[in-house]
């Protein structure tokens, strides 16, 4: 077989037709997969998440349900200026596009202020340390009450005129007053006096003879 016959069979209409058919199948398969995935994943389509912050949970539930979205309470907070059961935050946020059935997680307003345990600061920390810890927790502090004691040392905490201790649970919106030492000691503090003891040294003792009874006359 010469070269002309070889290339003639290689590029015959039968073989070329098969190659073209295979190429068409591959192209159609790629196009079909692309459009199939787009259709399956709703490519280019979505539901715009509405702004439900400030709504009651019931109203937000109805609005999201009409759009084909679900709602789940993920956390609670407290804002005394807003009504109870009010939506404080949402995820995803307003304006984002999601698929049908997507869950919107919300934070609702608690009907009462949350309570937190007083940390171990009474008689265990300075004024600055106690102030920083309490403010980091969200407590509001009034001007400290200065009492007799070591300067800037925390001796107690007052809440609405009542003394509280470490571990007591206090509503976060109740103001606290730290009882802090002013660097002086009360004159009425009990002072323990110890009588001095005298230890005689050698040569200090008087020589004497103990007499138990007077001598009798003979």
């Amino acid at each position: 077989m010469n070269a002309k016959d070889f290339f003639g069979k290689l590029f015959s209409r039968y073989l070329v037709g098969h190659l073209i058919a295979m190429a068409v199948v591959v192209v159609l398969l790629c196009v079909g997969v692309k459009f199939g995935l787009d259709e399956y994943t709703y490519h280019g389509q979505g539901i715009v998440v509405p702004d439900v912050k400030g709504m009651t949970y019931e109203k937000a539930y109805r609005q999201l349900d009409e759009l084909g979205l679900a709602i789940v309470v993920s956390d609670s907070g407290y804002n005394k200026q807003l009504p109870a059961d009010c939506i404080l935050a949402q995820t995803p946020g307003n304006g984002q596009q999601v698929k049908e059935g997507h869950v919107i997680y919300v934070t609702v307003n608690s009907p009462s202020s949350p309570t937190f345990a007083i940390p171990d600061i009474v008689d265990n920390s300075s004024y600055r340390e106690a102030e920083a810890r309490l403010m980091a927790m969200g407590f509001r502090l009034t001007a400290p009450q200065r009492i007799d004691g070591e300067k800037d040392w925390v001796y107690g905490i007052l809440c609405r005129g009542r003394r509280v201790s470490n571990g007591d649970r206090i509503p976060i919106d109740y103001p606290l007053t730290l009882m802090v030492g002013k660097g002086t000691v009360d004159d009425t503090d009990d002072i323990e006096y110890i009588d001095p003891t005298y230890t005689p040294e050698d040569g200090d003792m008087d020589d004497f003879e103990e007499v138990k009874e007077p001598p009798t006359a003979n």
Side-chain angles (χ1 to χ4, degrees):
M1 179 183 294
N2 54 32
K4 183 178 180 180
D5 293 337
F6 175 77
F7 285 106
K9 289 184 178 181
L10 180 62
F11 294 104
S12 63
R13 292 182 178 179
Y14 179 78
L15 181 59
V16 172
H18 276 74
L19 292 175
I20 294 175
M22 291 176 61
V24 171
V25 170
V26 171
V27 171
L28 291 177
L29 182 62
C30 292
V31 172
V33 170
K34 180 180 183 303
F35 282 98
L37 289 175
D38 289 346
E39 183 67 23
Y40 179 76
T41 58
Y42 300 96
H43 181 71
Q45 301 178 10
I47 301 173
V48 178
V49 178
D51 186 7
V52 298
K53 290 188 296 183
M55 297 182 184
T56 62
Y57 176 83
E58 182 179 356
K59 183 177 180 180
Y61 175 86
R62 289 198 306 266
Q63 182 169 344
L64 294 174
D65 185 61
E66 291 175 356
L67 295 173
L69 302 175
I71 183 172
V72 171
V73 177
S74 60
D75 199 1
S76 63
Y78 179 70
N79 187 333
K80 62 182 179 180
Q81 297 180 350
L82 296 175
D85 210 30
C86 174
I87 305 296
L88 299 176
Q90 66 178 87
T91 303
N94 174 35
Q96 297 189 30
Q97 288 192 350
V98 296
K99 301 175 186 177
E100 183 178 357
H102 193 85
V103 177
I104 308 300
Y105 296 94
V106 297
T107 301
V108 298
N109 195 29
S110 175
S112 59
S113 59
T115 61
F116 292 94
I118 297 295
D120 186 16
I121 58 176
V122 176
D123 204 23
N124 193 39
S125 62
S126 66
Y127 172 66
R128 287 189 177 183
E129 293 172 341
E131 181 184 39
R133 292 183 64 180
L134 292 173
M135 292 185 67
M137 295 174 65
F139 283 107
R140 180 169 57 89
L141 302 181
T142 63
Q145 181 182 108
R146 296 290 178 173
I147 62 175
D148 294 309
E150 184 179 345
K151 185 174 178 60
D152 290 335
W153 188 252
V154 177
Y155 289 95
I157 303 175
L158 296 175
C159 179
R160 292 191 169 185
R162 182 176 65 89
R163 191 161 182 169
V164 296
S165 304
N166 298 334
D168 290 349
R169 300 193 68 87
I170 305 299
I172 196 66
D173 58 341
Y174 284 13
L176 301 178
T177 302
L178 295 177
M179 303 173 67
V180 182
K182 59 183 178 180
T184 59
V185 179
D186 191 353
D187 295 334
T188 60
D189 289 347
D190 294 334
I191 301 177
E192 183 179 358
Y193 293 94
I194 301 176
D195 294 332
T197 57
Y198 174 74
T199 302
E201 298 179 358
D202 294 340
D204 290 345
M205 295 292 293
D206 294 333
D207 294 330
F208 66 91
E209 180 181 355
E210 181 180 1
V211 179
K212 296 183 179 180
E213 58 183 11
T216 56
N218 292 331

